[in-house]
Amino acid sequence: MANFPIVRPRRLRQNKLMRDIIAETEITEKDLILPIFIKENLSEPEKINSMPGVLRYPINDNLLKFIEESYGNGIRYIILFGIPSYKDDIASSAFAKDGVIQKSVKMIKDTFGEKLIIITDECTDEYASHGHCGIVKERRGTYVVDNDESLKLHAKIALSQAEAGSDIIAPSSMMDGVVGAIRKELDENGFQDTAIMAYSAKYASTFYSPFREAAYSKPGFGDRKSYQMDPRNGYEAIKEVRLDIEEGADIVMVKPAHTYLDIIRLVKSAFPEYPLAAYHVSGEYSMIKAAAINGWIDERVAVMEITTAIKRAGADLIITYYANEIVKWIREGVPF
Ligand code: PBG
């Protein structure tokens, strides 16, 4: 035996209080953003087959009651996804004054005022008959999503959301220049104080599948690989995030979260001065849920471990379908 004292990290792991005092990462309710699906022409909340435990809400008291309960649990940030009653080529229900999101934002603002921050997902896929994140054009016999034509449409949708009262616009289309186009439109129309949370590094991921069932937003043809990022690329995320920051993003995002912890760390290290959101997406949610329903994992411990990992990797904000459960579980005491 060497003649020196054994270094003993275990001293600080003796019991829960000792572990708590040196814990580097702590999830609080202020880290969490709750996604809510809102569907037009619905009267009662509706189950989503691919996402057990998540519901689609109608634009009525059922929605307000759910938000009130979530507020009671400690939730202060919500992100809204709309499911319109009609779709067309140019996603006109996404910018209609009485569109599903516009009506919902007004109703929630009228009820909750400044008590909640409302974030609105800004995209066309749920509102367009073709299910893509922009304007589709025919070019040399194939259909493509036209970048620059799409910018005008995204700016228009963003403005209509701001007019309805959204606090933060979250462009999720991955069109080049979309953040700049939205910033300009908002500024020119007196919405200098409306913030932008950009889905900056959004990967073309299979883990969005349950969401596409939830929001009926599966592309009608092709896929999203010409605009969303290639899962094989890491450093490219830095380029995407840098461009969004230059164009005026206030908060940037990595999506998915659990499958892309390395990207969260990379982006946080490159831009530590910018708030970073991470989206624990539908497929990541449903995988945990499925294992839990089968009794293969302890749902509470798994969710707390994964959410903590996302924060430990560098996320400041976490969008998660588990937000309500997490705030309850925090109150019961972390399972570490
Ligand atoms: C686009 C959008 C999507 C998600 C959030 N915003 C779907 C997509 O890009 O196909 C996915 C979120 C999730 O899977 O939880 N409006």
Side-chain angles (χ1 to χ4, degrees):
M1 270 300 270
N3 190 22
F4 55 78
I6 296 174
V7 179
R8 296 183 189 278
R10 288 187 55 195
R11 264 183 217 127
L12 300 176
R13 289 182 206 137
Q14 288 181 67
N15 56 47
K16 179 150 171 63
L17 271 183
M18 197 67 103
R19 292 192 292 277
D20 282 350
I21 200 176
I22 60 146
E24 296 174 28
T25 314
E26 188 183 15
I27 305 284
T28 79
E29 54 204 28
K30 293 194 187 63
D31 302 324
L32 306 173
I33 302 173
L34 172 71
I36 305 178
F37 294 104
I38 307 171
K39 186 175 164 183
E40 231 171 355
N41 295 340
L42 191 69
S43 50
E44 293 292 321
E46 182 176 75
K47 286 187 180 163
I48 299 166
N49 199 25
S50 56
M51 301 178 72
V54 180
L55 301 171
R56 300 185 193 95
Y57 286 91
I59 316 171
N60 62 24
D61 284 354
N62 289 291
L63 173 64
L64 294 177
K65 207 170 128 241
F66 174 61
I67 297 175
E68 183 70 52
E69 277 167 23
S70 305
Y71 186 86
N73 289 339
I75 299 294
R76 295 293 178 269
Y77 312 105
I78 56 177
I79 181 164
L80 309 182
F81 295 93
I83 303 159
S85 54
Y86 72 95
K87 303 187 184 207
D88 61 21
D89 278 13
I90 57 155
S92 49
S93 52
F95 56 80
K97 275 217 157 19
D98 63 347
V100 50
I101 284 299
Q102 290 76 3
K103 275 190 289 194
S104 304
V105 171
K106 277 192 209 105
M107 189 179 82
I108 299 167
K109 270 284 164 204
D110 284 349
T111 312
F112 294 91
E114 302 299 302
K115 284 159 72 182
L116 275 176
I117 296 289
I118 303 179
I119 306 169
T120 45
D121 182 78
E122 187 285 303
C123 203
T124 55
D125 55 337
E126 298 103 318
Y127 307 87
S129 37
H130 47 70
H132 277 286
C133 298
I135 297 277
V136 171
K137 285 256 167 86
E138 197 186 335
R139 200 173 287 157
R140 290 187 290 275
T142 56
Y143 289 100
V144 296
V145 177
D146 185 299
N147 194 82
D148 296 13
E149 277 298 311
S150 304
L151 296 185
K152 295 175 215 152
L153 177 56
H154 287 297
K156 197 168 169 175
I157 299 169
L159 178 60
S160 82
Q161 295 179 343
E163 283 170 346
S166 175
D167 299 296
I168 304 180
I169 311 293
S172 63
S173 63
M174 286 296 280
M175 294 297 112
D176 293 335
V178 72
V179 172
I182 290 175
R183 186 68 272 161
K184 186 159 172 283
E185 186 80 359
L186 293 176
D187 288 354
E188 286 174 0
N189 288 280
F191 291 96
Q192 291 86 349
D193 291 334
T194 304
I196 297 177
M197 177 168 81
Y199 286 70
S200 306
K202 178 176 178 181
Y203 284 85
S205 171
T206 193
F207 297 109
Y208 308 153
S209 308
F211 173 99
R212 290 177 189 168
E213 183 182 324
Y216 313 103
S217 62
K218 196 170 178 291
F221 64 90
D223 52 41
R224 303 204 204 290
K225 289 179 187 163
S226 77
Y227 40 102
Q228 298 180 346
M229 283 183 63
D230 188 323
R232 293 173 292 188
N233 295 349
Y235 296 117
E236 193 189 7
I238 296 175
K239 175 162 89 179
E240 287 283 2
V241 170
R242 175 179 293 121
L243 290 169
D244 282 359
I245 289 172
E246 286 168 1
E247 290 173 30
D250 302 289
I251 302 170
V252 294
M253 193 196 300
V254 170
K255 177 187 171 188
H258 186 188
T259 322
Y260 293 80
L261 293 176
D262 57 330
I263 310 302
I264 295 174
R265 167 54 58 202
L266 200 58
V267 169
K268 193 63 201 174
S269 303
F271 305 102
E273 72 279 32
Y274 278 86
L276 175 61
Y279 199 142
H280 188 241
V281 301
S282 57
E284 296 173 325
Y285 168 89
S286 296
M287 286 195 296
I288 304 172
K289 209 42 158 188
I293 288 170
N294 277 289
W296 297 333
I297 50 164
D298 180 326
E299 185 175 30
R300 182 179 74 106
V301 184
V303 169
M304 292 308 289
E305 185 172 335
I306 289 167
T307 311
T308 301
I310 294 169
K311 183 158 185 195
R312 189 191 62 226
D316 303 296
L317 300 166
I318 302 167
I319 304 174
T320 169
Y321 300 98
Y322 273 115
N324 266 310
E325 287 76 8
I326 293 171
V327 287
K328 281 187 233 157
W329 291 332
I330 291 171
R331 228 169 295 132
E332 288 167 15
V334 294
F336 307 118

